[in-house]
């Protein structure tokens, strides 16, 4: 609440300074043509198991990266820095507290994010922003923070992936409508493109389209009816926004398809949670639908860097 109050006090002053030429605003978003050109070619293909560092919050969680590691197989490794609804700003700026830091990082896969990026131990950095995404953009400098992380990663030869999430399933504007609108309007239009415009030499920031995969699976279930334990997209959630084991599996498949540039069709579906307990198994039919949906979505979006 304090940060929102502070914004409304400071914003008019910044607007006045900008009008007087005394305050430099962030540059305009990278133009559409230049943005498209960055993704004209697929991302460089990995040459073996990957080592991933995840920065985010509970829509990353502990179980999803653990499931990704099981899907990828021997040699895949990962670590993370998480928080409760954490912003990219809080992960970047040591003076901004990360809500829930102690609780979310009380596990063996935690590592300080700045140390991890600079270590040379990883070959991909996966970032996500808090939701409500409009609030993140308005109050927490999302484009600037994505640029900062991408610049740090680039100086350490680390490719960057931006994980698109979703909003509560009871969002008053409509969960499905927002997934159709928000990727282009906010994730790309007001975060990725402005962040890329800040770089002297823009390099692709690849997209992990979690929200788009959720939307596509929702549409598939609406069209064909129940498959295994899945009757609708609500069966992917443990509450209004957090995924359950089925949702974690779907998002792990999405990360796998983008990070490894390989179809997830045929991958195992009986996995374990991060604590070693068996995760709920969607079964072969639902798993197949999820895997095919992921690959269809990932290969249809140039920003993923993946071609079919």
């Amino acid at each position: 609440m304090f940060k929102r109050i502070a914004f409304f006090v400071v914003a008019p002053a910044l607007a006045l300074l900008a009008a007087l030429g005394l305050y430099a605003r962030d540059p305009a978003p990278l133009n559409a043509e230049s943005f498209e050109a960055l993704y004209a070619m697929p991302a460089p293909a990995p040459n073996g198991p990957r080592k991933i560092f995840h920065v985010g919050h509970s829509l990353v969680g502990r179980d999803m990266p653990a499931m990704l590691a099981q899907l990828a197989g021997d040699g895949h490794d990962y670590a993370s820095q998480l928080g409760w609804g954490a912003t990219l700003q809080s992960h970047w700026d040591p003076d901004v507290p990360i809500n829930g830091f102690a609780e979310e990082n009380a596990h063996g896969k935690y590592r300080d994010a700045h140390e991890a990026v600079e270590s040379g131990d990883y070959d991909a950095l996966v970032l996500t922003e808090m939701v409500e995404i409009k609030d993140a953009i308005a109050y927490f400098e999302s484009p600037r923070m994505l640029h900062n992380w991408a610049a740090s990663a680039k100086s350490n030869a680390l490719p960057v992936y931006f994980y698109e999430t979703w909003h509560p399933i009871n969002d008053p504007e409509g969960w499905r409508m927002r997934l159709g609108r928000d990727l282009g309007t906010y994730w790309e239009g007001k975060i990725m493109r402005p962040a890329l415009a800040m770089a002297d030499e823009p390099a692709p920031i690849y997209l992990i389209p979690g929200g788009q995969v959720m939307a596509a699976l929702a549409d598939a279930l609406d069209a064909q009816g129940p498959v295994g334990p899945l009757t609708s997209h609500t069966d992917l959630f443990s509450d209004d926004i957090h995924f359950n084991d089925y949702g974690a599996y779907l998002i792990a498949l999405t990360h796998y398809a983008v990070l490894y540039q390989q179809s997830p069709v045929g991958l195992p579906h009986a996995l374990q949670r991060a604590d070693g307990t068996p995760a709920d198994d969607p079964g072969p039919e639902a798993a197949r639908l999820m895997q095919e949906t992921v690959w269809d979505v990932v290969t249809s979006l140039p920003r993923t860097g993946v071609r079919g």
Side-chain angles (χ1 to χ4, degrees), residues 167-190:
H167 289 83
I169 55 178
N170 59 357
D171 189 286
E173 292 188 73
W175 180 81
R176 181 63 184 85
M177 184 284 292
R178 288 204 62 179
L179 290 175
R181 180 195 70 189
D182 287 6
L183 174 62
T185 300
Y186 298 113
W187 294 88
E188 293 183 355
K190 295 191 176 181

Side-chain angles (χ1 to χ4, degrees), residues 91-108:
H91 285 296
W92 175 263
D93 188 342
D95 294 329
V96 177
I98 299 173
N99 293 331
F101 179 88
E103 294 85 352
E104 285 299 304
N105 296 300
H107 56 87

Side-chain angles (χ1 to χ4, degrees), residues 246-262:
Y246 301 145
Y249 178 68
L250 181 67
I251 298 304
L253 290 169
T254 307
H255 279 68
Y256 174 89
V258 174
L259 291 166
Y260 282 95
Q261 299 183 42
Q262 294 182 8

